[in-house]
Amino acid sequence: MSNLLQLEDVNTYIAGFHILQGISIEVPKEGVTVLLGRNGAGKTTTTLRTILGFNPPNSGQVKFEEEVINGWQPYRIAGLGIGYVPEDRGIFGTLSVYDNLKVAARDGVREMESRLETVYELFPDLKRAVRQQAGTLSGGQQQMLALARILVSKNRLLIIDEPSSGLAPIVVDRVAEALSELKKTLPILLVEQNYNMARQIADRYYIIDEGRCVHQGQMEDLDNEPELKQRYLGVAV
Amino acid sequence: MLIFLLASGLSLIFGLMRVVNFTHGSFFMFGAYIGRSIFLATDSFVLAILGGLLIGFVLGAIMERIAIRPFFGNRVQLLLLTLGMMLVMNELVKIIWGPTILRFPRPDYLIGTLFLGDIMLPYYRLFIVGIGLVLLFLVYFFLNKTRLGIIIRAGVEDSDMVQAFGINIKQVFTFTFALGVSLATVGGTISGPFLGVYPEIAMDNILVAIIAVVVGGIGSFGGSVAGSLLIGLINSFGGYYIPQVAMALNVVLMALVLLIRPQGLQGLFRKGGAANEN
């Protein structure tokens, strides 16, 4: 299977600190690839921000469909068809739900409108709250909105950072269901600390530790690696 | 209304770009001089206003591209830059138009007074209120009903996230800066026949506008309307009853707002008192 996104020996420094230390990742055109790592290290989030152009790499290459996109402005990278949901969800709290979707409508408002019914089928709460100020939504609803925003344009890859962060277990299940539905049509690069959720939806994994990629493989194989899980992910055996 | 035209642009620029634009008052002054020159040359006040608006937009766009963008993100350098440019612009008008106060004649159709019983309402004041309301409505409509306006409001909250949706935020910055400056220049053009045209008009108004922005809530259009209204009332009543301390009252109000409600008046009158209205 050919790759959609590729990181080759990427090094990223932030404020003089060597955050990503030679990371190499391949994201195929199908399924969910998850980046796992210990909580709070921030390396996985930096990997995503490096891909998206917010923290450009100091060396190495980021390729999207074989085209090197290092040094591109974030808006150009997004224009390739990459939808991004940050860990804090990046909701525009003073705007209504509808206006949040409108900002995200990269392919125009008409295209957005044509996709709204599908989006509302996936997240019915949003239809009821469409005129509501986004900042007044619950954490779970905000996560739904963050996901909805990347569905109103034609995307080729979804990059989602910790979708379960700060959510109640029941809401995490709903988000996992939504992601399982999305993965049928779009490849996803996911950062997730919640191992159970990652296990539920991911096909492949990379373990990032100390800014390095220390292990990779198929998700189902990770279940048989208790030592690996305990050492790098803090998952009790 | 004049304070609103200055404050709304200032607030938009600071809210989106985090730039305290000290040249804003100078553009207000420039608008008065340019508007006067166009009016004297064409005898058309409509052309003077449109010219003030257009020239302000173009000058704002040029300034953002050439002067602001290279220092973007460095607040101290930008503060010093706009402060320096303000001084240069204030001296430049003295070289071009001279240091003395110039008369900006009112168009014939705006001379006169409307009498409502004992109340006297000069036509020109009514005109200022009217055109201010029209501009207020237009800017409100733009910010709330058009996608570009909504993008600007979104950028005030999180400009990185706006870029993540494929939007070139630098172009949005340029447009917002130009829009803010054009509101200042058109405000200057309108104020000319009312206040006169003189170099100090820049400093006289920028301080009041900054106070209105802080009182209303930085980055909020609705807040800048509320702040301008409040400061305008304090200036009018304070100036009438205790003129010696009218300016001091503004500063005291700003200090009180910063102490009690640092986010300003924005969202205060909304149901639930949401603090983040635009």
Side-chain angles (χ1 to χ4, degrees):
Chain A
M1 198 188 305
S2 62
N3 292 314
L4 184 63
L5 180 77
Q6 213 168 338
L7 275 70
E8 292 176 2
D9 196 21
V10 164
N11 288 274
T12 301
Y13 291 75
I14 299 176
F17 292 100
H18 195 178
I19 305 294
L20 302 187
Q21 303 178 20
I23 290 224
S24 295
I25 291 170
E26 292 174 348
V27 179
K29 289 180 176 169
E30 286 171 13
V32 177
T33 305
V34 66
L35 306 184
L36 299 166
R38 274 196 188 269
N39 199 9
K43 310 290 193 291
T44 41
T45 295
T46 305
T47 308
L48 300 191
R49 290 182 62 84
T50 294
I51 295 167
L52 292 160
F54 292 114
N55 299 121
N58 295 76
S59 67
Q61 287 191 327
V62 181
K63 291 180 182 173
F64 189 82
E65 293 211 310
E66 298 304 315
E67 185 171 14
V68 177
I69 59 171
N70 291 26
W72 283 26
Q73 291 289 316
Y75 79 92
R76 275 190 72 199
I77 294 173
L80 291 167
I82 299 178
Y84 172 52
V85 176
E87 186 182 354
D88 65 2
R89 295 161 199 140
I91 293 298
F92 306 117
T94 62
L95 270 55
S96 68
V97 167
Y98 185 79
D99 285 347
N100 265 272
L101 298 172
K102 214 169 173 180
V103 173
R106 196 181 57 234
D107 304 320
V109 176
R110 194 170 291 177
E111 173 71 21
M112 176 196 92
E113 296 276 3
S114 73
R115 289 167 170 257
L116 275 185
E117 271 316 306
T118 318
V119 170
Y120 290 152
E121 270 173 35
L122 204 56
F123 309 117
D125 279 14
L126 294 183
K127 190 171 188 176
R128 288 189 286 273
V130 72
R131 298 288 162 200
Q132 195 175 327
Q133 203 177 27
T136 63
L137 298 173
S138 69
Q141 288 172 324
Q142 288 191 6
Q143 189 60 269
M144 306 291 168
L145 175 57
L147 291 168
R149 290 192 309 189
I150 56 175
L151 300 179
V152 294
S153 301
K154 289 175 199 155
N155 278 314
R156 293 151 74 193
L157 170 67
L158 305 183
I159 295 184
I160 303 174
D161 195 355
E162 303 237 22
S164 69
S165 174
L167 299 180
I170 190 164
V171 185
V172 172
D173 289 344
R174 284 181 62 197
V175 171
E177 275 172 35
L179 292 178
S180 300
E181 201 59 37
L182 289 179
K183 74 180 257 193
K184 292 176 188 166
T185 51
L186 282 165
I188 299 174
L189 174 60
L190 184 72
V191 163
E192 187 52 69
Q193 311 290 350
N194 182 332
Y195 178 72
N196 286 331
M197 180 175 171
R199 187 171 164 271
Q200 208 176 325
I201 55 174
D203 303 295
R204 291 161 301 279
Y205 72 89
Y206 286 87
I207 295 177
I208 311 285
D209 188 62
E210 302 288 334
R212 291 186 183 89
C213 186
V214 292
H215 216 273
Q216 59 174 294
Q218 293 299 310
M219 203 66 204
E220 68 253 24
D221 298 337
L222 193 56
D223 268 346
N224 305 320
E225 303 270 7
E227 197 187 326
L228 204 65
K229 284 194 289 181
Q230 189 173 30
R231 187 171 166 196
Y232 292 114
L233 309 177
V235 177
V237 180
Chain B
M1 273 304 162
L2 293 174
I3 299 172
F4 155 71
L5 289 175
L6 256 180
S8 55
L10 198 63
S11 181
L12 272 180
I13 291 169
F14 186 81
L16 182 68
M17 304 167 69
R18 300 289 181 260
V19 175
V20 180
N21 180 24
F22 274 104
T23 62
H24 216 67
S26 306
F27 278 114
F28 183 81
M29 171 195 68
F30 244 64
Y33 278 103
I34 288 167
R36 177 181 175 275
S37 296
I38 295 174
F39 181 67
L40 292 180
T42 63
D43 205 27
S44 166
F45 196 54
V46 174
L47 276 182
I49 290 172
L50 291 176
L53 200 68
L54 189 68
I55 291 170
F57 192 89
V58 172
L59 287 177
I62 292 171
M63 179 177 162
E64 197 279 334
R65 290 299 297 268
I66 294 174
I68 303 292
R69 194 174 288 184
F71 300 102
F72 198 75
N74 191 323
R75 292 190 198 187
V76 177
Q77 285 185 1
L78 282 169
L79 194 78
L80 292 172
L81 177 83
T82 60
L83 201 61
M85 286 184 73
M86 179 190 81
L87 297 173
V88 170
M89 287 170 76
N90 294 1
E91 292 307 310
L92 196 63
V93 294
K94 289 180 190 169
I95 294 168
I96 301 171
W97 285 286
T100 53
I101 188 162
L102 299 176
R103 187 171 165 270
F104 189 157
R106 293 176 189 188
D108 293 342
Y109 49 87
L110 292 176
I111 295 171
T113 304
L114 176 71
F115 290 93
L116 289 174
D118 292 338
I119 303 169
M120 290 193 310
L121 296 167
Y123 287 154
Y124 200 79
R125 282 188 180 233
L126 289 173
F127 166 75
I128 290 177
V129 172
I131 203 160
L133 286 173
V134 168
L135 286 170
L136 190 155
F137 172 77
L138 288 176
V139 176
Y140 176 84
F141 182 85
F142 169 71
L143 288 175
N144 288 281
K145 300 295 175 192
T146 68
R147 183 163 183 258
L148 179 56
I150 293 166
I151 286 169
I152 290 173
R153 288 169 55 212
V156 168
E157 283 194 56
D158 188 342
S159 57
D160 270 4
M161 205 56 224
V162 168
Q163 291 193 83
F165 293 121
I167 295 158
N168 185 347
I169 196 74
K170 286 180 182 169
Q171 284 180 359
V172 179
F173 285 163
T174 306
F175 180 85
T176 306
F177 198 87
L179 176 71
V181 166
S182 66
L183 284 173
T185 51
V186 80
T189 303
I190 294 165
S191 79
F194 181 63
L195 301 172
V197 182
Y198 56 98
E200 289 74 26
I201 202 173
M203 275 307 284
D204 287 354
N205 287 286
I206 186 69
L207 290 177
V208 177
I210 287 174
I211 292 171
V213 168
V214 173
V215 168
I218 292 165
S220 161
F221 178 73
S224 66
V225 175
S228 304
L229 199 64
L230 194 59
I231 294 297
L233 287 172
I234 287 176
N235 273 349
S236 299
F237 286 102
Y240 184 77
Y241 291 108
I242 34 174
Q244 303 89 339
V245 294
M247 187 64 191
L249 285 177
N250 292 333
V251 179
V252 169
L253 175 71
M254 180 173 74
L256 282 174
V257 167
L258 285 173
L259 276 172
I260 299 164
R261 194 178 161 85
Q263 73 270 37
L265 300 177
Q266 55 177 319
L268 188 63
F269 307 109
R270 270 208 171 177
K271 205 175 175 181
N276 44 11
E277 167 269 352
N278 257 283

